[in-house]
Amino acid sequence: MKTLLRLLPLFLLGIVFTARSIPAQTDSYKVLYSDGEMVIREIDPETFLVTHTFPWPANSLVLKFKKNQFLLIDTPYTDEATERLVTFLKKNTPGEIKISAINTHFHVDNLGGNGYLKKINARIYGSSLTVRLLKERGLGQGMLESMKNMPEMYTYYKSKKLTAPDNLFPVEKGLKLHFGRDTVEVWYPGAGHTKDNVVVYYPKKKILFGGCILKAMESSSKGNLGDADIHVWKGSVEKLLARYPEAKLVVPGHGATGGIEIIRHTIDIVSE
């Protein structure tokens, strides 16, 4: 049955976002979990796309390695959704699991679940620039004010505190994480959607999590420009394309996954 998508205009700092709908292109993936707000899909063996809608869909990626090690690339928006995600991983993994996470930038759709991860003693990686920007631009510094047109978000976050990553690295140097023989690279292409946006690349499977510096193929808007550096965004994405031309699966921060065409599409959008 053809899925009907309902679009509801939502404004954040004057920018329109896609509303409560999961992009149709992701429907080909096997759904492992759905609770009406969050969907977990298997997009490759031991690789899971997490789409949390609060109030618009945002992507996280979960990679599983040997010895039950999991890496969360960005968290769902909230501690509660992140707890449901971890509970799902526990229920479907024999034995104890070990959780690590990487925040690709300082917005709530990237680190809103850090509070729960901190509670379970997960290692949370992020750049020192992400921590600085969270202090300068966080909930009490304008982020909460920007949510007033979205009552669901505003009501939730007005009584919350955001938890910063606690395993820090200089953004310009990036980071390499090792899980047995597997390596995951965290790389900074330059400013774009935010000054601190990093990407994560898993060379074994040629999977690139571009986060919000990349725009999905169905997107025709630059999105939220409240913290963007539009003047250098194009150059940053061009560097990204040059570094990972072999990427086979590209995951943007919002919208459907795809291939290398997502990077080229983003270049076109931010060039306008």
Side-chain angles (χ1 to χ4, degrees):
M1 179 180 294
K2 184 177 180 181
T3 302
L4 297 178
L5 301 180
R6 181 169 60 90
L7 298 181
L8 173 67
L10 291 172
F11 292 86
L12 177 60
L13 300 173
I15 303 300
V16 180
F17 287 91
T18 304
R20 284 188 178 276
S21 59
I22 305 301
Q25 292 91 329
T26 65
D27 287 346
S28 60
Y29 297 134
K30 181 180 178 181
V31 174
L32 303 179
Y33 172 91
S34 178
D35 59 19
E37 182 182 279
M38 184 172 69
V39 179
I40 302 173
R41 291 177 168 87
E42 185 178 48
I43 62 175
D44 200 67
E46 301 185 331
T47 306
F48 312 102
L49 177 69
V50 182
T51 306
H52 186 207
T53 304
F54 192 78
W56 63 88
N59 294 328
S60 305
L61 191 68
V62 179
L63 303 176
K64 182 182 179 182
F65 305 96
K66 292 182 178 180
K67 297 183 179 180
N68 291 344
Q69 298 181 85
F70 289 89
L71 176 66
L72 277 58
I73 307 174
D74 284 342
T75 75
Y77 285 95
T78 67
D79 288 330
E80 293 82 359
T82 304
E83 181 175 6
R84 296 199 301 274
L85 169 58
V86 173
T87 298
F88 165 82
L89 297 176
K90 288 180 177 178
K91 286 183 177 179
N92 290 275
T93 307
E96 296 292 323
I97 70 172
K98 184 176 182 180
I99 300 288
S100 301
I102 173 74
N103 302 144
T104 61
H105 63 280
F106 74 98
H107 286 168
V108 294
D109 50 347
N110 310 107
L111 49 70
N114 278 2
Y116 173 73
L117 295 180
K118 184 79 171 179
K119 182 179 177 181
I120 63 172
N121 297 315
R123 296 179 67 86
I124 309 171
Y125 296 92
S127 75
S128 52
L129 180 56
T130 292
V131 174
R132 178 167 69 82
L133 289 174
L134 186 59
K135 291 179 181 179
E136 295 175 355
R137 300 281 293 161
L139 289 177
Q141 307 299 324
M143 187 185 290
L144 183 63
E145 187 71 16
S146 72
M147 299 177 187
K148 282 194 171 180
N149 288 328
M150 293 163 291
E152 183 178 9
M153 289 187 78
Y154 183 79
T155 300
Y156 179 86
Y157 287 112
K158 72 178 181 179
S159 61
K160 296 289 184 178
K161 291 184 178 180
L162 295 178
T163 300
D166 52 11
N167 288 263
L168 306 184
F169 60 91
V171 70
E172 297 86 359
K173 291 185 177 181
L175 180 70
K176 285 192 176 181
L177 298 174
H178 301 279
F179 302 89
R181 295 182 178 180
D182 292 317
T183 300
V184 175
E185 180 179 56
V186 182
W187 186 68
Y188 179 60
H193 171 70
T194 59
K195 293 180 179 179
D196 62 326
N197 47 211
V198 298
V199 302
V200 182
Y201 186 64
Y202 184 23
K204 180 179 179 179
K205 294 189 175 183
K206 297 182 179 180
I207 296 175
L208 174 67
F209 185 89
C212 295
I213 196 174
L214 295 182
K215 309 301 297 182
M217 294 301 295
E218 69 268 24
S219 175
S220 59
S221 167
K222 298 178 183 70
N224 173 18
L225 299 180
D227 296 297
D229 190 336
I230 192 61
H231 302 292
V232 302
W233 195 336
K234 177 184 176 184
S236 298
V237 180
E238 288 174 336
K239 292 176 185 176
L240 183 58
L241 179 60
R243 187 174 182 91
Y244 302 115
E246 75 284 1
K248 291 184 177 180
L249 178 62
V250 179
V251 183
H254 303 271
T257 63
I260 204 76
E261 70 276 1
I262 286 179
I263 305 179
R264 298 191 179 98
H265 175 65
T266 301
I267 293 172
D268 291 340
I269 287 180
V270 300
S271 296
E272 297 174 357

